[in-house]
C-alpha cells in the first residue's frame, strides 16, 4: 500500500472534503487536484487563443507570392506575365489578414478599384499550401476569425 491510501493504521487526513459516494478519500482528492489542473489549463489557453486571433489579423498575404513576383493578376485570379492586357499590376505591399477579412465580407482592399479588388481576392481564394500567404488565408477561414 502507498502512503496516500487510508488504512486503519493510517487514516485519511481531515481536509474538510467529503468523499463522493462510492469513492475513497484519496480518489476524491485526486479528482479535486485534476479539477484544479484543468482550470489552470483553461486560464493559460484563453490568452494564447486571443493572441492567435490577433496574429491572424496581422499576418500578411503577398499578391502575388514571392515565387511569382513581377507577375500581374488576371481577373480570374491567375498570375500572368507583366503588362498583360486586362490584368492588374500587383499591389505595392502585402495585404494584412484584417484587410483581406474585411474585403471577403464585402469591403475593398486598400488601393484597389472594383475590378482589381475582384482579381486580387480571386488570387487569394486560389492560394494553395506552399504559396506565400496561404497559412494566413487559411487562418481567416477558421471559425471565429
Amino acid at each position: 500500500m502507498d502512503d496516500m491510501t487510508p488504512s486503519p493504521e493510517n487514516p485519511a487526513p481531515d481536509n474538510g472534503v467529503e468523499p463522493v459516494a462510492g469513492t475513497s478519500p484519496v480518489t476524491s482528492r485526486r479528482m479535486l487536484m485534476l479539477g484544479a489542473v484543468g482550470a489552470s489549463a483553461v486560464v493559460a489557453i484563453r490568452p494564447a487563443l486571443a493572441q492567435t486571433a490577433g496574429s491572424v489579423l496581422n499576418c500578411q498575404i503577398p499578391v502575388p507570392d514571392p515565387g511569382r513576383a513581377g507577375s500581374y493578376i488576371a481577373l480570374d485570379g491567375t498570375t500572368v506575365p507583366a503588362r498583360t492586357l486586362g490584368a492588374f499590376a500587383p499591389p505595392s505591399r502585402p495585404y494584412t489578414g484584417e484587410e483581406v477579412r474585411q474585403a471577403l465580407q464585402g469591403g475593398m482592399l486598400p488601393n484597389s478599384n472594383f475590378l482589381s479588388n475582384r482579381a486580387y481576392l480571386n488570387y487569394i481564394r486560389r492560394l494553395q499550401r506552399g504559396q506565400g500567404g496561404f497559412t494566413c488565408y487559411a487562418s481567416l477561414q477558421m471559425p471565429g476569425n
Side-chain angles (χ1 to χ4, degrees), residues 2-144:
D2 64 0
D3 293 339
M4 298 296 288
T5 305
S7 66
E9 302 85 37
N10 184 18
D14 183 13
N15 57 7
V17 175
E18 291 294 321
V20 176
T23 64
S24 71
V26 174
T27 305
S28 295
R29 267 184 270 142
R30 284 189 181 140
M31 288 190 318
L32 285 172
M33 286 189 289
L34 286 174
V37 170
S40 65
V42 169
V43 170
I45 291 171
R46 280 191 187 146
L49 290 175
Q51 183 178 1
T52 301
S55 64
V56 165
L57 300 180
N58 293 320
C59 62
Q60 295 187 339
I61 301 176
V63 176
D65 69 308
R68 293 168 182 75
S71 297
Y72 275 35
I73 310 298
L75 194 55
D76 67 357
T78 57
T79 54
V80 295
R83 295 180 208 39
T84 298
L85 190 61
F88 302 92
S92 59
R93 64 170 180 80
Y95 292 118
T96 65
E98 174 65 14
E99 292 168 338
V100 171
R101 184 182 63 79
Q102 288 176 357
L104 290 169
Q105 293 174 350
M108 294 284 287
L109 292 166
N111 303 317
S112 66
N113 60 39
F114 178 78
L115 291 176
S116 63
N117 185 71
R118 201 159 126 201
Y120 298 153
L121 286 177
N122 284 337
Y123 171 83
I124 292 167
R125 286 184 184 108
R126 295 171 65 106
L127 286 173
Q128 297 192 2
R129 188 178 312 272
Q131 287 183 280
F134 172 78
T135 303
C136 182
Y137 175 62
S139 298
L140 293 173
Q141 306 305 306
M142 301 300 274

